[in-house]
Amino acid sequence: MKFINLYLLAVTTILFVNCSSKQEVTTLKDAYKNDFYIGTALSADQIEEKNIKVDSLIQKEFNAITAENIMKSMFTHPQKDKYDFALSDKFVAYGEKNKMFIHGHTLIWHSQLAPWMEKIADSTEMKAFMKDHITTIVSKYKGRIKSWDVVNEALNEDGTLRKSVFLNTLGEQYLVDAFKLAEKADPKAELYYNDYNIEEPAKRAGAIALIKKIKEAGGKVDGVGIQGHWRLQSPSLEEIEKSILEYSALGIKVAFTELDITVLPNPWDLKGADVNQNFEGSAKMNPYPKTLPDSVQTQLAARYASIFKLFLKHKDKISRVTFWGVYDKQSWLNDWPIKGRTNYPLPFDVNLEHKPAYDSILKLKKTVE
């Protein structure tokens, strides 16, 4: 009898261990916890935790955060001798409280500059600005913000350098200087070059050349951020995969930093995220003002599934996948490139409910060991 009882105990223990080693996952961050960070971009209201339901969703589903706007220079450095870190401090504190990976966005970008920055025309003044701006911000959050978009969107579509106020005053050297200053301010932070459409061949070649030049000149580049403002049919999975492989071959990490998928008509064949492009609206350009048809929901779900399947194939090269917004209502695509349209680009709908797109991403990782 004693032997039988011991046998039954052993069998029960084995069954328990086997059952507990496989468990059904119910959130994105848990499903992909052994693969890469799952992140989202937070608005000012979300940073200030103004909506309990939204806050609950953020904490449940994501383990990495980026500030959608409040760390851009027009907000953090509104005047030459004045910084405003009120919301940035709350953003970092939010990430720390919830044990999230915190990403800084962005240090040097031609857009959303404070007006006084746009007037800098002298190279000496620009160098002084860059040194003060980067050193002050990165040093303030040293050891707390784990990675930075050091330079954002420095390239044209053909891969040449964008004629920004930084290029006009300092030439290509500003790229090297930016990364060197960021490394000096926090040697342990991961430093990224971030841009849209850099999975397209010409722009990808330009980004690769840019990163090589920075590294050869002594700048530290730890990774590249592919924004991922994509469409239902493009870019192709082949081009995305080529990009992962070619950037990884540089010895750097690959992150997908601003992922969303537009489902609306695009007669101008716009790609990426040039926030300065705007067009007149019409009913034809806003075909789903109230709800997204099931047929399009299915297409969106299939697109997300195929993308994440590719990400999983190359998970050893990918550090983070961040959605650009928590849910559809928040998305910047409701206003770009036509104001007032209703878009549906994210895995959560306007009511914070799972969409088929969410289910398709989760289904790829239904069980974890």
Side-chain angles (χ1 to χ4, degrees):
M1 181 65 73
K2 186 177 179 180
F3 175 78
I4 293 173
N5 286 340
L6 288 172
Y7 174 77
L8 290 173
L9 178 64
V11 171
T12 303
T13 301
I14 292 169
L15 287 172
F16 176 77
V17 169
N18 285 342
C19 288
S20 60
S21 68
K22 281 191 175 184
Q23 50 188 311
E24 188 168 307
V25 292
T26 56
T27 71
L28 293 178
K29 72 176 184 182
D30 288 341
Y32 289 84
K33 66 181 180 180
N34 296 322
D35 306 312
F36 37 73
Y37 286 109
I38 297 289
T40 189
L42 302 185
S43 68
D45 284 353
Q46 291 160 358
I47 291 165
E48 296 193 284
E49 302 175 66
K50 290 186 176 181
N51 185 309
I52 294 173
K53 190 175 179 182
V54 174
D55 187 52
S56 177
L57 178 67
I58 294 166
Q59 292 183 43
K60 180 182 178 185
E61 297 287 346
F62 304 103
N63 54 16
I65 53 171
T66 302
E68 189 176 27
N69 279 301
I70 57 96
M71 295 197 78
K72 293 170 182 175
S73 58
M74 67 183 290
F75 299 107
T76 57
H77 200 171
Q79 297 173 26
K80 186 174 183 179
D81 300 316
K82 179 184 177 183
Y83 285 89
D84 184 349
F85 293 120
L87 280 174
S88 295
D89 285 348
K90 290 182 179 180
F91 166 71
V92 175
Y94 182 93
E96 290 176 334
K97 178 179 70 173
N98 294 300
K99 297 180 173 57
M100 294 169 162
F101 183 91
I102 305 169
H103 179 74
H105 176 78
T106 173
L107 295 171
I108 298 298
W109 187 32
H110 68 277
S111 189
Q112 289 185 258
L113 293 168
W116 70 271
M117 297 174 189
E118 297 177 348
K119 297 174 183 176
I120 299 175
D122 176 75
S123 61
T124 302
E125 187 180 358
M126 180 58 81
K127 281 184 179 180
F129 156 71
M130 282 185 55
K131 183 177 181 180
D132 178 67
H133 184 79
I134 294 173
T135 304
T136 299
I137 296 172
V138 177
S139 296
K140 177 175 173 59
Y141 298 111
K142 182 179 180 180
R144 300 174 73 194
I145 289 182
K146 302 302 183 182
S147 64
W148 287 93
D149 289 331
V150 178
V151 177
N152 193 50
E153 301 176 4
L155 295 170
N156 295 312
E157 294 306 294
D158 63 358
T160 59
L161 289 174
R162 183 190 295 269
K163 293 191 181 301
S164 66
V165 64
F166 305 107
L167 186 68
N168 292 341
T169 52
L170 295 177
E172 293 184 32
Q173 185 61 33
Y174 90 88
L175 296 156
V176 178
D177 290 346
F179 280 87
K180 285 185 174 181
L181 287 165
E183 181 186 12
K184 187 175 181 180
D186 188 351
K188 293 184 179 179
E190 293 183 352
L191 308 181
Y192 281 73
Y193 174 71
N194 190 61
D195 211 332
Y196 59 85
N197 286 357
I198 53 172
E199 69 285 339
E200 300 287 346
K203 201 168 186 180
R204 180 171 69 229
I208 289 170
L210 181 153
I211 292 166
K212 283 181 176 178
K213 283 183 180 179
I214 294 170
K215 294 182 77 172
E216 287 167 1
K220 186 183 89 153
V221 183
D222 296 296
V224 61
I226 302 173
Q227 290 184 12
H229 295 295
W230 293 336
R231 298 150 299 282
L232 288 173
Q233 304 300 330
S234 63
S236 69
L237 294 176
E238 290 75 17
E239 291 301 341
I240 298 171
E241 183 168 36
K242 282 181 186 176
S243 300
I244 295 170
L245 294 171
E246 290 183 24
Y247 288 124
S248 179
L250 299 175
I252 61 175
K253 297 179 180 181
V254 178
F256 292 88
T257 57
E258 304 181 18
L259 183 61
D260 50 26
I261 299 173
T262 182
V263 298
L264 298 185
N266 182 16
W268 318 279
D269 195 30
L270 293 179
K271 298 175 181 178
D274 187 339
V275 294
N276 296 311
Q277 291 178 308
N278 288 283
F279 298 86
E280 291 297 320
S282 69
K284 183 181 178 182
M285 293 296 103
N286 188 31
Y288 319 122
K290 299 296 182 183
T291 186
L292 192 64
D294 290 345
S295 60
V296 186
Q297 288 274 23
T298 300
Q299 291 179 60
L300 182 64
R303 178 66 164 158
Y304 266 118
S306 64
I307 288 169
F308 269 79
K309 187 175 181 181
L310 178 63
F311 290 170
L312 284 171
K313 179 181 178 182
H314 295 291
K315 63 183 182 179
D316 60 316
K317 306 171 186 68
I318 296 172
S319 57
R320 176 171 47 94
V321 176
T322 291
F323 294 96
W324 203 239
V326 176
Y327 67 130
D328 284 344
K329 186 177 181 180
Q330 177 191 353
S331 176
W332 72 292
L333 287 170
N334 292 314
D335 285 314
W336 184 91
I338 296 172
K339 289 190 178 298
R341 292 204 299 180
T342 304
N343 213 323
Y344 305 82
L346 297 166
F348 296 95
D349 67 19
V350 294
N351 298 312
L352 303 174
E353 298 295 332
H354 300 170
K355 291 160 62 176
Y358 174 94
D359 297 329
S360 73
I361 297 169
L362 200 62
K363 188 177 180 180
L364 293 172
K365 298 283 293 185
K366 200 62 179 175
T367 59
V368 289
E369 296 294 332

